[in-house]
Amino acid sequence: MSYFLQLVVSGIVVGSIYALSALGFVLIYKSSRVLNIAHGQLIATGAFITYALAVWAGIPIALAFFLSLIITFFIAMSVERVFLRRLIGEPIISVIMVTIGLMSILDGLIYLTPFGTLNFSFPEFLPTTPIRLGGVSISWTQLVGVIITTILIGGFSWFFRKSTLGISMRAVSDDQLASMSIGISIPRVFGLAWAAAGFSAAAAGTIIGNITGLNFETLQAFGITVFPVVILGGLDSIIGAVVAGIIMGLIQQFAAGYLDGHWGLHGTASLLPYIILLVILLFKPHGLFGIHEIERV
Amino acid sequence: MAVNRWLATGNYFTTYKEEQRIFQTNLDRTVFIAFLMVVFTWPLYFEVSSKYMLVVDNILIAIIAVIGLNLLTGFAGLISIGHAAFVGVGAYTLASFSRVLGDSHVLITHAWPLMLLISGGIGAVVGAFVGLPALRLKHLYLAIATLSFQMIFLWIINFSTFFNQGQTIFIGRAYWLTGQVARDDHYLFWYYVMLVIVVMCGFGVRNLIRTRYGRCLVAVRDNDRAADAMGMHPGLTKVYAFALAGFFAGVAGALHAYLFRGVGFESFTLGHSITYLAMAIVGGLGTLVGSFFGPTAIYMLDLKVENVAEYAGTIFSETMNLATGLRPLTFGLVIVLFLMFEPRGIANWWRISRSYFKLWPFRF
C-alpha cells in the first residue's frame, strides 16, 4: 500500500511539472493557434538563466528565480515579435516549421554555452532530509516545486478570469475578428501569450532543474512529452493542461512502478503517453476539456 | 514526338495533352538528357574521395525519402513529423531479414533489388497503417499523431532484443554481376544504384502527378470537402498518400542500410524527421524539383558548416564545442529565413530563372 501511495505522490510531483510545462504550451496555442515545438528549449533556457544568475552571478536563488522568470518573459516576447509576427495568416505548416526552426536555433545557441554538453546541479538551499509521512516520502525540492507550481497555476487562472488583459486574451482566442473590432490589439495579445508562456516555461525549467539536475537533453525532452499532456487535456484548455498533466504523471509512475520488469517490458513510462495520445486522437481528438472544433473529413 | 514549337515562346498550349507533357519543348528534353549524362559519367572523370562520395550518396538517399515526404506534405498537404521513422521501417525490414537469415544470406547480398522492393512494400503497409488517423484528423492533430508514431517506433527499436536494442545490426556486402562489390567501389556502386532509383522515382512521381490520382491528391489538399463533392474519396486518398510516402521512405531506408552496411536507431530519430521536413520546405513544397534541391542544399550547407566549425575550432578554445552548436544554429536559421522570405523554396528560384532564360531578351 505504501508503495502505491509513494507512486501516487511522485506521480503528482511529476504531473504538476507536466502541468506547468503544458500551461505555457496551451497559452500559446489558445491565443494564436501556434503549435510551439520549441517549448522544451524555452524551458531549458529558463532553467539555465536561473542557474547562471544564482551560481555564476551569485544572486540569492529566490531573486535569481524571479529575475529568470522576467528575462525569459522578454525572450519569449521578442521571439514572437521577430519570428512569429510575420507569419500570422500563413499556412499551418509554415507556422509549425518556424517553431521547429526556432527549436534548432535555440538548440544551437545553447550548445554554444557550457550548458549544452555539461551537467550542472543547483546548490542545495533546502533541507536534504526527505519528509516522511506514514511510509511515503517526499523531498523538500519536490514539495517546494509542487507548491510553486500550484501558486503559478492559481495565479494564471486568476489572471485569465479577472484581469482585463487576461479577459482580452480569452476574447482573442474566442473570436479574433470580434475582439479586433472592440479594440483589442491582436499582435499585442499574441506577444503577451508568448511572454506568459516563457514565464511559465522558466518556472517549470527551474523546478525540473532543481529536482533532476540541469541536463539539456532532459530539459528539452519536456517539450515533446508535453504533447500527450496537452492532447489529453485538450489543446486550448488551461484546466485541461493541469488535470491531464497530473493524470499523465500518475500514469507514468504507475507504468514505471508496476509494468516495468514484468513480461519483458522496459521503459514503458516513456511509451505509454504516446499510445494514450494516439488513442485520444482517434476517439476524442479534442481531449478532455478542449473545444469541439475538429473538422471531420 | 512532335512538340508544339510555339511553346518555346511562352504559354501556348492548344490541347490538354500538351500541357501534361513531361518535357514541353525539345530543348527541355535535350538539356535533361545532357544533365543525366553528366550525372552518370562524372565519377569516371574525377577522382572523388570516399568522404565526398558518401555525402553524394547521402544526398541521393535523402532525395528519395524527400520525394515521398513531398508527395505527402507538399501535394497532399498532410504534415508528417515522423518521416525518419518510415525510413527506419525500411531499414529495419532489411535488418530483420539480417537477424533471421544471417547478415550475408544470399537474399540480402545477391537479391538486393528484391530486398529494396520488399522494404518499400513494408514501408508502404506501415505508412498506410500510420495514415489511418488521417481519416479523422487534420493539420495539427495529424502532425502530432505522426510525431507519436516516431516516438513509438524509436521505443520499439530501443527496447526489443530482436532489433538488438538499437545497436548496429550488420548487413552483408552486396554482389553485382562481377562478384562481390569491392571495398573501394562500395560508395560508387551504390551511387549508381541510387541514381537509377532516383531517376525512376522522379519519373514515377512526375507521371503520378498527371494521373487521376495525382490530381486527386492536390484537390484534397486544396479543399477536401469540394473534392468529396466531386466524387473523390478524401480519406482513401490520404491513406494512399501515406502508403506512397512510406514506400519511398522504405526504399530510402533499405538503401541507407546497404550503404552503411548496418542499421542503428540513431539515424531515424526525431531530429532526422525534422531534417527531412526542412529539406522539403527549403526545396519547395509541392514541387518535384524541390525534392532534389532541398536535400542537396541542406547537405551542402552541412558540409560548409563543418568546414567552418573545423576552422573556427582552431581559433577558439575547445570548450566552446562550436561544431555541435553551429549545425543546429545554421540549420534553424535557414529554415526560418526560407519560411519568412521564400516560402516557396528553391524551386521558386528555379522557376524564375527558367522563365528568364526562356523569355530572354524580353522581361515577360
Side-chain angles (χ1 to χ4, degrees), chain B residues 193-204:
Chain B
V193 172
M194 284 188 261
L195 205 56
V196 171
I197 293 177
V198 164
V199 172
M200 273 160 44
C201 287
F203 272 104

Side-chain angles (χ1 to χ4, degrees), chain B residues 11-343:
Chain B
N11 206 338
Y12 200 78
F13 299 114
T14 49
T15 56
Y16 281 119
K17 205 177 161 197
E18 228 161 43
E19 201 186 353
Q20 294 290 324
R21 246 188 209 126
I22 292 181
F23 300 109
Q24 283 173 353
T25 59
N26 281 329
L27 183 67
D28 279 358
R29 188 182 310 132
T30 323
V31 168
F32 182 76
I33 290 171
F35 175 73
L36 271 192
M37 277 165 71
V38 169
V39 166
F40 270 95
T41 50
W42 71 268
L44 307 177
Y45 303 129
F46 298 99
E47 198 68 40
V48 194
S49 73
S50 58
K51 182 194 167 193
Y52 287 100
M53 208 61 208
L54 182 61
V55 174
V56 174
D57 287 357
N58 273 328
I59 291 175
L60 288 177
I61 291 178
I63 285 176
I64 298 170
V66 170
I67 285 176
L69 183 64
N70 218 338
L71 265 181
L72 187 63
T73 306
F75 287 102
L78 306 163
I79 304 164
S80 163
I81 319 186
H83 203 64
F86 290 131
V87 178
V89 167
Y92 271 96
T93 308
L94 196 59
S96 29
F97 273 95
S98 155
R99 288 290 270 187
V100 174
L101 303 171
D103 56 15
S104 298
H105 191 265
V106 182
L107 263 180
I108 292 174
T109 52
H110 289 69
W112 49 264
L114 179 71
M115 297 310 292
L116 293 182
L117 274 181
I118 291 176
S119 301
I122 301 282
V125 171
V126 174
F129 179 72
V130 173
L132 285 182
L135 291 174
R136 291 195 60 174
L137 303 172
K138 284 179 81 173
H139 307 313
L140 263 180
Y141 289 87
L142 189 63
I144 297 174
T146 54
L147 176 82
S148 69
F149 167 65
Q150 167 81 54
M151 305 312 275
I152 291 171
F153 171 79
L154 275 185
W155 184 86
I156 291 174
I157 297 304
N158 278 330
F159 285 95
S160 64
T161 41
F162 180 70
F163 292 122
N164 210 2
Q165 294 182 330
Q167 301 303 307
T168 311
I169 299 171
F170 288 102
I171 308 286
R173 242 175 231 295
Y175 277 72
W176 182 233
L177 299 174
T178 50
Q180 197 179 37
V181 176
R183 205 183 176 78
D184 300 335
D185 298 340
H186 183 69
Y187 291 139
L188 193 65
F189 171 71
W190 286 108
Y191 169 75
Y192 278 111
V193 172
M194 284 188 261
L195 205 56
V196 171
I197 293 177
V198 164
V199 172
M200 273 160 44
C201 287
F203 272 104
V205 171
R206 184 71 184 84
N207 276 319
L208 182 84
I209 295 164
R210 32 180 217 165
T211 58
R212 180 190 161 81
Y213 174 69
R215 290 194 299 272
C216 251
L217 279 181
V218 178
V220 167
R221 172 193 69 187
D222 289 343
N223 189 338
D224 47 7
R225 288 193 181 157
D228 206 356
M230 298 287 285
M232 301 164 196
H233 194 307
L236 264 185
T237 311
K238 288 178 178 180
V239 174
Y240 281 149
F242 264 101
L244 268 173
F247 178 81
F248 284 110
V251 172
L255 284 170
H256 184 278
Y258 272 120
L259 181 69
F260 289 91
R261 300 196 45 234
V263 185
F265 83 99
E266 67 279 348
S267 314
F268 312 109
T269 56
L270 181 61
H272 290 84
S273 288
I274 289 171
T275 313
Y276 286 131
L277 209 48
M279 285 169 180
I281 285 185
V282 168
L285 277 178
T287 54
L288 181 59
V289 280
S291 328
F292 296 88
F293 289 133
T296 317
I298 295 278
Y299 270 105
M300 289 300 160
L301 183 78
D302 244 21
L303 262 186
K304 285 279 163 251
V305 170
E306 220 167 82
N307 289 342
V308 169
E310 238 167 58
Y311 175 70
T314 57
I315 302 173
F316 296 104
S317 64
E318 281 175 24
T319 48
M320 288 273 286
N321 47 62
L322 272 165
T324 40
L326 278 181
R327 280 186 70 205
L329 188 63
T330 44
F331 177 69
L333 273 178
V334 165
I335 299 177
V336 169
L337 292 178
F338 259 97
L339 283 171
M340 293 205 293
F341 299 110
E342 186 58 278

Side-chain angles (χ1 to χ4, degrees), chain A residues 29 33 35 37 82-83 86-87 90 92-98 100-109 111-114 117 224 227 231 235 264-268 270-271 274-275 277-278 281-286 291 293-297, chain B residues 73 79 81 132-149 151-152 155-156 159 165 224-225 228 234-235 238 270 274 277-278 281 285 319-322 324-329 331-333 335-336 339-341 343:
Chain A
Y29 184 79
R33 305 280 152 203
L35 196 71
I37 293 176
V82 176
F83 296 110
R86 286 168 164 278
L87 290 170
E90 291 279 323
I92 201 155
I93 179 149
S94 308
V95 180
I96 290 183
M97 273 319 281
V98 145
I100 287 179
L102 201 62
M103 176 178 106
S104 227
I105 293 176
L106 288 176
D107 263 352
L109 289 178
Y111 276 124
L112 290 180
T113 67
T117 39
I224 302 294
F227 279 101
I231 290 291
L235 265 174
L265 287 170
H266 296 285
T268 40
S270 56
L271 173 73
Y274 296 102
I275 291 181
L277 163 62
L278 275 184
L281 277 181
L282 278 178
F283 295 108
K284 200 167 160 45
H286 40 78
I291 297 168
E293 57 170 28
I294 299 291
E295 194 186 343
R296 302 246 166 80
V297 185
Chain B
T73 306
I79 304 164
I81 319 186
L132 285 182
L135 291 174
R136 291 195 60 174
L137 303 172
K138 284 179 81 173
H139 307 313
L140 263 180
Y141 289 87
L142 189 63
I144 297 174
T146 54
L147 176 82
S148 69
F149 167 65
M151 305 312 275
I152 291 171
W155 184 86
I156 291 174
F159 285 95
Q165 294 182 330
D224 47 7
R225 288 193 181 157
D228 206 356
K238 288 178 178 180
L270 181 61
I274 289 171
L277 209 48
I281 285 185
L285 277 178
T319 48
M320 288 273 286
N321 47 62
L322 272 165
T324 40
L326 278 181
R327 280 186 70 205
L329 188 63
F331 177 69
L333 273 178
I335 299 177
V336 169
L339 283 171
M340 293 205 293
F341 299 110

